[in-house]
Amino acid sequence: MSDELDDFVNELQEQIFEETRADYGEVAFQRWLKPLYVGAMQDADGYSRVTGTCGDTMEFFLKFENDRVKAATFRTDGCGSSTVCGSFAAELAHGKSPDDVTDITGEMILNVLGGLPEKDRHCAFLASEGLQAALD
Ligand code: FES
């Protein structure tokens, strides 16, 4: 009985993974499995908290050294796409000057991760909005 349940759960998980990979692409899927730059930063120089019209909230934390982003992290209570987009937004910010961070747009995040389904594109724009707000 337990083996049957295990098999069922494993098959179900594999099916969900396959559908997610097909819908979101390999790059986004892998980042969703292992998101980078997640977590709060105690001594951040920049912080933001933005809530999208979808109701999800994202926070960004930036640490600067020599006028460059030394570290960038994020947290979100949102969807899987907000995690993927927050992770790429933080990654793109690393090593950038404040001026260069202002160039990181939702479109840029979407390009890096290979696009998202139409219903999830706004997650990338919420991530870029949060990143920009942390500069202020
Ligand atoms: Fe709200 Fe993705 S659905 S950020």
Side-chain angles (χ1 to χ4, degrees):
M1 182 67 182
S2 178
D3 284 349
E4 286 177 22
L5 185 60
D6 285 349
D7 288 348
F8 173 74
V9 169
N10 288 337
E11 281 176 29
L12 190 60
Q13 184 179 45
E14 197 50 44
Q15 185 181 341
I16 291 168
F17 280 4
E18 284 306 315
E19 288 174 7
T20 304
R21 184 183 278 121
D23 290 348
Y24 290 84
E26 189 65 27
V27 173
F29 175 72
Q30 291 300 330
R31 188 59 65 98
W32 173 66
L33 285 180
K34 291 183 187 149
L36 303 174
Y37 312 114
V38 178
M41 193 187 298
Q42 293 302 325
D43 55 347
D45 299 315
Y47 169 75
S48 71
R49 180 184 167 92
V50 295
T51 300
T53 54
C54 59
D56 295 337
T57 296
M58 298 188 79
E59 294 173 284
F60 279 87
F61 305 83
L62 296 175
K63 184 77 183 166
F64 288 90
E65 188 175 270
N66 299 324
D67 206 31
R68 297 267 165 189
V69 175
K70 180 183 177 194
T73 61
F74 78 101
R75 289 194 303 201
T76 182
D77 64 0
C79 63
S81 291
S82 69
T83 298
V84 170
C85 292
S87 181
F88 276 112
E91 181 171 296
L92 285 166
H94 277 88
K96 299 266 193 331
S97 68
D99 273 356
D100 289 342
V101 171
T102 63
D103 292 337
I104 298 172
T105 62
E107 284 295 344
M108 184 184 288
I109 294 167
L110 288 168
N111 283 339
V112 169
L113 62 86
L116 285 175
E118 191 62 35
K119 68 179 179 60
D120 286 9
R121 285 176 54 87
H122 71 276
C123 312
F125 291 90
L126 182 63
S128 64
E129 181 188 335
L131 182 63
Q132 306 302 333
L135 279 180
D136 297 336

